[in-house]
Amino acid sequence: AMKLLTHNMLMSPGTHNGFPLRIEVEQMEEVEVEYNADFTSRMVGKVEYKALVDTVASLNVESKLPAAVPDDYASNEEFLQALHHVLMEIEIVAGTLVCPETAKRFPIKDGIPSML
């Protein structure tokens, strides 16, 4: 299924402002994924954090993520656990991604987004 880590890296093809894609959820699951503090800490510099926080808010899922990345994020276990949960354990199984620039719609089927 599509994790929010994957979603955070997707952009509508051929656009300048096609990020972040809005998610219209038909089916969403929470799964348990083994926590890895080093991996999660490395992801902080790779994800667009504000877009992630906004996406989580739009999905109405419970999250302990703060509005901004804490300065001590690499050693902040509570933050890393919350980030791990959001990035790795929330999965979009079915729904639609919607481009914020063009409103083009991309289906998600069986957890796989079709960006064509």
Side-chain angles (χ1 to χ4, degrees):
M2 186 183 77
K3 297 185 182 298
L4 295 188
L5 175 60
T6 304
H7 169 263
N8 192 267
M9 298 179 181
L10 292 176
M11 182 170 172
S12 185
T15 63
H16 295 291
N17 300 302
F19 175 88
L21 294 156
R22 189 167 44 85
I23 302 174
E24 293 177 357
V25 176
E26 290 171 29
Q27 184 183 353
M28 180 168 58
E29 294 176 350
E30 289 195 32
V31 297
E32 200 167 311
V33 175
E34 188 175 342
Y35 172 66
N36 180 321
D38 290 338
F39 173 81
T40 305
S41 180
R42 284 198 307 272
M43 289 302 104
V44 171
K46 296 185 180 349
V47 298
E48 178 57 56
Y49 189 76
K50 182 180 180 335
L52 179 65
V53 171
D54 291 348
T55 297
V56 171
S58 77
L59 296 176
N60 293 320
V61 293
E62 190 175 326
S63 165
K64 296 181 177 143
L65 284 182
V69 175
D71 292 336
D72 68 343
Y73 75 84
S75 61
N76 185 325
E77 195 64 22
E78 187 179 351
F79 169 74
L80 291 175
Q81 291 268 7
L83 184 63
H84 164 80
H85 174 70
V86 166
L87 289 178
M88 303 303 295
E89 297 184 330
I90 297 171
E91 296 186 343
I92 310 300
V93 179
T96 306
L97 297 172
V98 183
C99 175
E101 182 180 304
T102 65
K104 183 169 180 185
R105 300 169 66 79
F106 304 95
I108 304 165
K109 288 180 93 170
D110 299 322
I112 301 168
S114 173
M115 301 305 292
L116 303 175

